[in-house]
Structure formats: structure tokens, C-alpha cells
Amino acid sequence: MKGIHLGEFEELVLLAVATLEDNAYAVSIQSELHERVDRKANISAIHTALYRMEDKGFLESTRGGAEAKRGGKNKRLFRVTTYGYNMLKESKATRESFWNVLPQISTN
């Protein structure tokens, strides 16, 4: 996976999709980001990240059923691909490699 990296926002969105499992769509991802990391993101930014990561192969999407409360519109549901999970694991390992060698600094 050399040369392909996750940005911080992409990583958060990818983690939110993984957490939401079969109910990951833009609005639920927006709520998850706000609830878990107090991050307020607009829907357009989330859509852009989702489509970009789908193009990279980290996500795949399907159309959910139409709902009356959405005016008959259906949701575009996302799920993390195996490649996407591997990218998340690589990102976590990279961060941990730094944390593991970080000098202990007293903050007292």
C-alpha cells in the first residue's frame, strides 16, 4: 500500500463507516463523527470523502430502499472493503509505532 495514505478526515469517516456497519450513509456518518469525536462536518465534505475513498477501493456502496420520510429517495449505503480495513490497520500501526517510541515527558 505504499503511496496511498489516509488523511485524518478520511480515516475518521472510514472508521465511522466501519462502526455503523450496515447503516452507514452520509447523515448517519455525520452523526457518528459528532457523537464520537465532536467533529462537525457538513454533508458535502462527507460525500466528497466517501466518493473519493470509493474510487480508491476502500469503500463500496449500494442503494438502500426508498423511504417515505425521505420523500421517496433511497439512501446510498457504504461499507468498508477488505482493502479499506487493511488501510485502517496500517494507519493504526503507523500511529502506534510513533507512540511506542515517544519519550516520556512529565506534564506536571
Side-chain angles (χ1 to χ4, degrees):
M1 288 189 214
K2 283 192 168 191
I4 298 177
H5 305 283
L6 281 175
E8 187 257 352
F9 186 67
E10 285 182 331
E11 184 177 1
L12 290 175
V13 171
L14 200 56
L15 286 166
V17 172
T19 301
L20 291 164
E21 298 183 47
D22 295 333
N23 194 35
Y25 59 99
V27 173
S28 66
I29 294 165
Q30 182 184 44
S31 296
E32 192 75 4
L33 291 174
H34 183 68
E35 182 179 315
R36 292 197 179 271
V37 293
D38 197 26
R39 179 85 172 244
K40 293 179 183 174
N42 67 47
I43 291 295
S44 295
I46 293 170
H47 277 129
T48 299
L50 289 169
Y51 300 147
R52 186 173 49 239
M53 288 192 290
E54 190 172 29
D55 288 345
K56 291 178 180 178
F58 302 156
L59 296 171
E60 56 190 18
S61 67
T62 58
R63 291 281 180 187
E67 294 181 12
K69 74 177 186 181
R70 294 175 44 88
K73 290 183 174 179
N74 55 16
K75 297 174 186 171
R76 188 167 178 176
L77 300 167
F78 290 86
R79 63 178 287 277
V80 180
T81 63
T82 300
Y83 183 53
Y85 275 111
N86 289 337
M87 183 56 76
L88 282 172
K89 289 177 186 173
E90 185 175 306
S91 179
K92 181 181 177 188
T94 299
R95 290 175 189 265
E96 286 177 345
S97 74
F98 278 105
W99 280 104
N100 290 338
V101 297
L102 193 69
Q104 297 298 313
I105 299 172
S106 174
T107 57
N108 295 331

